[in-house]
PDB file of all heavy atoms in Angstrom:
ATOM      1  N   ARG A 158      25.730 -21.072 -24.527  1.00 98.00           N
ATOM      2  CA  ARG A 158      26.926 -21.485 -25.321  1.00 98.00           C
ATOM      3  C   ARG A 158      28.140 -21.560 -24.394  1.00 98.00           C
ATOM      4  O   ARG A 158      28.401 -20.610 -23.655  1.00 98.00           O
ATOM      5  CB  ARG A 158      27.202 -20.472 -26.437  1.00 98.00           C
ATOM      6  CG  ARG A 158      26.107 -20.452 -27.491  1.00 98.00           C
ATOM      7  CD  ARG A 158      26.417 -19.574 -28.651  1.00 98.00           C
ATOM      8  NE  ARG A 158      25.255 -19.448 -29.512  1.00 98.00           N
ATOM      9  CZ  ARG A 158      25.172 -18.732 -30.624  1.00 98.00           C
ATOM     10  NH1 ARG A 158      26.213 -18.049 -31.036  1.00 98.00           N
ATOM     11  NH2 ARG A 158      24.072 -18.714 -31.335  1.00 98.00           N
ATOM     12  N   ALA A 215      28.571 -10.503 -44.303  1.00 95.00           N
ATOM     13  CA  ALA A 215      29.323 -11.566 -43.586  1.00 95.00           C
ATOM     14  C   ALA A 215      29.398 -12.800 -44.474  1.00 95.00           C
ATOM     15  O   ALA A 215      28.687 -12.890 -45.484  1.00 95.00           O
ATOM     16  CB  ALA A 215      28.712 -11.848 -42.251  1.00 95.00           C
ATOM     17  N   THR A 225      24.001 -13.004 -46.066  1.00 96.00           N
ATOM     18  CA  THR A 225      23.896 -12.727 -44.632  1.00 96.00           C
ATOM     19  C   THR A 225      24.494 -11.370 -44.258  1.00 96.00           C
ATOM     20  O   THR A 225      25.491 -10.990 -44.867  1.00 96.00           O
ATOM     21  CB  THR A 225      24.493 -13.867 -43.756  1.00 96.00           C
ATOM     22  OG1 THR A 225      24.495 -13.457 -42.379  1.00 96.00           O
ATOM     23  CG2 THR A 225      25.935 -14.175 -44.147  1.00 96.00           C
ATOM     24  N   HIS A 226      23.848 -10.674 -43.383  1.00 97.00           N
ATOM     25  CA  HIS A 226      24.376  -9.418 -42.851  1.00 97.00           C
ATOM     26  C   HIS A 226      24.486  -9.509 -41.330  1.00 97.00           C
ATOM     27  O   HIS A 226      23.561 -10.046 -40.682  1.00 97.00           O
ATOM     28  CB  HIS A 226      23.481  -8.234 -43.168  1.00 97.00           C
ATOM     29  CG  HIS A 226      23.509  -7.775 -44.610  1.00 97.00           C
ATOM     30  ND1 HIS A 226      22.672  -8.347 -45.569  1.00 97.00           N
ATOM     31  CD2 HIS A 226      24.267  -6.885 -45.248  1.00 97.00           C
ATOM     32  CE1 HIS A 226      22.927  -7.767 -46.717  1.00 97.00           C
ATOM     33  NE2 HIS A 226      23.911  -6.867 -46.550  1.00 97.00           N
ATOM     34  N   GLU A 227      25.550  -8.955 -40.803  1.00 98.00           N
ATOM     35  CA  GLU A 227      25.624  -8.769 -39.347  1.00 98.00           C
ATOM     36  C   GLU A 227      25.360  -7.321 -39.065  1.00 98.00           C
ATOM     37  O   GLU A 227      25.774  -6.455 -39.864  1.00 98.00           O
ATOM     38  CB  GLU A 227      27.037  -9.117 -38.862  1.00 98.00           C
ATOM     39  CG  GLU A 227      27.374 -10.610 -38.961  1.00 98.00           C
ATOM     40  CD  GLU A 227      28.854 -10.895 -38.693  1.00 98.00           C
ATOM     41  OE1 GLU A 227      29.660  -9.937 -38.558  1.00 98.00           O
ATOM     42  OE2 GLU A 227      29.204 -12.067 -38.600  1.00 98.00           O
ATOM     43  N   HIS A 229      26.406  -4.350 -36.674  1.00 98.00           N
ATOM     44  CA  HIS A 229      27.475  -4.071 -35.752  1.00 98.00           C
ATOM     45  C   HIS A 229      27.324  -2.667 -35.163  1.00 98.00           C
ATOM     46  O   HIS A 229      27.000  -1.706 -35.864  1.00 98.00           O
ATOM     47  CB  HIS A 229      28.842  -4.130 -36.438  1.00 98.00           C
ATOM     48  CG  HIS A 229      29.327  -5.536 -36.602  1.00 98.00           C
ATOM     49  ND1 HIS A 229      30.178  -6.094 -35.667  1.00 98.00           N
ATOM     50  CD2 HIS A 229      29.088  -6.464 -37.549  1.00 98.00           C
ATOM     51  CE1 HIS A 229      30.426  -7.357 -36.075  1.00 98.00           C
ATOM     52  NE2 HIS A 229      29.766  -7.600 -37.182  1.00 98.00           N
ATOM     53  N   GLU A 427      29.006  -7.298 -32.676  1.00 98.00           N
ATOM     54  CA  GLU A 427      27.873  -7.891 -33.454  1.00 98.00           C
ATOM     55  C   GLU A 427      26.651  -7.983 -32.529  1.00 98.00           C
ATOM     56  O   GLU A 427      26.648  -8.754 -31.599  1.00 98.00           O
ATOM     57  CB  GLU A 427      28.273  -9.271 -33.941  1.00 98.00           C
ATOM     58  CG  GLU A 427      27.151  -9.848 -34.846  1.00 98.00           C
ATOM     59  CD  GLU A 427      27.327 -11.366 -35.052  1.00 98.00           C
ATOM     60  OE1 GLU A 427      28.450 -11.869 -35.188  1.00 98.00           O
ATOM     61  OE2 GLU A 427      26.266 -12.080 -35.026  1.00 98.00           O
ATOM     62  N   GLY A 429      23.491  -8.383 -33.934  1.00 98.00           N
ATOM     63  CA  GLY A 429      22.431  -9.172 -34.559  1.00 98.00           C
ATOM     64  C   GLY A 429      22.897  -9.680 -35.961  1.00 98.00           C
ATOM     65  O   GLY A 429      23.935  -9.211 -36.429  1.00 98.00           O
ATOM     66  N   GLN A 430      22.179 -10.648 -36.467  1.00 97.00           N
ATOM     67  CA  GLN A 430      22.510 -11.167 -37.763  1.00 97.00           C
ATOM     68  C   GLN A 430      21.258 -11.654 -38.473  1.00 97.00           C
ATOM     69  O   GLN A 430      20.382 -12.257 -37.866  1.00 97.00           O
ATOM     70  CB  GLN A 430      23.544 -12.322 -37.594  1.00 97.00           C
ATOM     71  CG  GLN A 430      24.015 -12.905 -38.920  1.00 97.00           C
ATOM     72  CD  GLN A 430      25.289 -13.697 -38.838  1.00 97.00           C
ATOM     73  OE1 GLN A 430      25.634 -14.148 -37.743  1.00 97.00           O
ATOM     74  NE2 GLN A 430      25.988 -13.896 -39.947  1.00 97.00           N
ATOM     75  N   VAL A 431      21.204 -11.424 -39.750  1.00 98.00           N
ATOM     76  CA  VAL A 431      20.107 -11.965 -40.568  1.00 98.00           C
ATOM     77  C   VAL A 431      20.754 -12.864 -41.632  1.00 98.00           C
ATOM     78  O   VAL A 431      21.825 -12.588 -42.113  1.00 98.00           O
ATOM     79  CB  VAL A 431      19.261 -10.824 -41.262  1.00 98.00           C
ATOM     80  CG1 VAL A 431      18.469 -10.096 -40.179  1.00 98.00           C
ATOM     81  CG2 VAL A 431      20.162  -9.869 -42.028  1.00 98.00           C
ATOM     82  N   PHE A 432      20.063 -13.967 -41.925  1.00 96.00           N
ATOM     83  CA  PHE A 432      20.704 -15.040 -42.648  1.00 96.00           C
ATOM     84  C   PHE A 432      19.715 -15.740 -43.575  1.00 96.00           C
ATOM     85  O   PHE A 432      18.614 -16.109 -43.146  1.00 96.00           O
ATOM     86  CB  PHE A 432      21.152 -16.092 -41.600  1.00 96.00           C
ATOM     87  CG  PHE A 432      22.444 -16.758 -41.936  1.00 96.00           C
ATOM     88  CD1 PHE A 432      23.530 -16.623 -41.089  1.00 96.00           C
ATOM     89  CD2 PHE A 432      22.558 -17.576 -43.042  1.00 96.00           C
ATOM     90  CE1 PHE A 432      24.751 -17.238 -41.404  1.00 96.00           C
ATOM     91  CE2 PHE A 432      23.746 -18.190 -43.353  1.00 96.00           C
ATOM     92  CZ  PHE A 432      24.848 -18.005 -42.524  1.00 96.00           C
ATOM     93  N   GLY A 462      18.796 -13.346 -35.755  1.00 98.00           N
ATOM     94  CA  GLY A 462      19.023 -13.261 -34.354  1.00 98.00           C
ATOM     95  C   GLY A 462      19.345 -11.871 -33.850  1.00 98.00           C
ATOM     96  O   GLY A 462      20.065 -11.115 -34.542  1.00 98.00           O
ATOM     97  N   ARG A 467      23.348  -8.744 -25.159  1.00 98.00           N
ATOM     98  CA  ARG A 467      24.516  -8.061 -25.689  1.00 98.00           C
ATOM     99  C   ARG A 467      24.219  -6.617 -26.080  1.00 98.00           C
ATOM    100  O   ARG A 467      24.999  -5.710 -25.914  1.00 98.00           O
ATOM    101  CB  ARG A 467      25.143  -8.854 -26.846  1.00 98.00           C
ATOM    102  CG  ARG A 467      26.451  -8.270 -27.328  1.00 98.00           C
ATOM    103  CD  ARG A 467      26.996  -8.983 -28.523  1.00 98.00           C
ATOM    104  NE  ARG A 467      27.632 -10.273 -28.189  1.00 98.00           N
ATOM    105  CZ  ARG A 467      28.279 -11.007 -29.126  1.00 98.00           C
ATOM    106  NH1 ARG A 467      28.326 -10.630 -30.395  1.00 98.00           N
ATOM    107  NH2 ARG A 467      28.799 -12.169 -28.770  1.00 98.00           N
TER     108      ARG A 467
HETATM  109 MG1   MG B  24      26.353 -14.110 -35.860  1.00 85.65          MG
END
Side-chain angles (χ1 to χ4, degrees):
R158 294 184 188 180
T225 174
H226 286 88
E227 292 170 351
H229 280 267
E427 184 196 321
Q430 184 162 19
V431 290
F432 216 118
R467 186 183 282 184

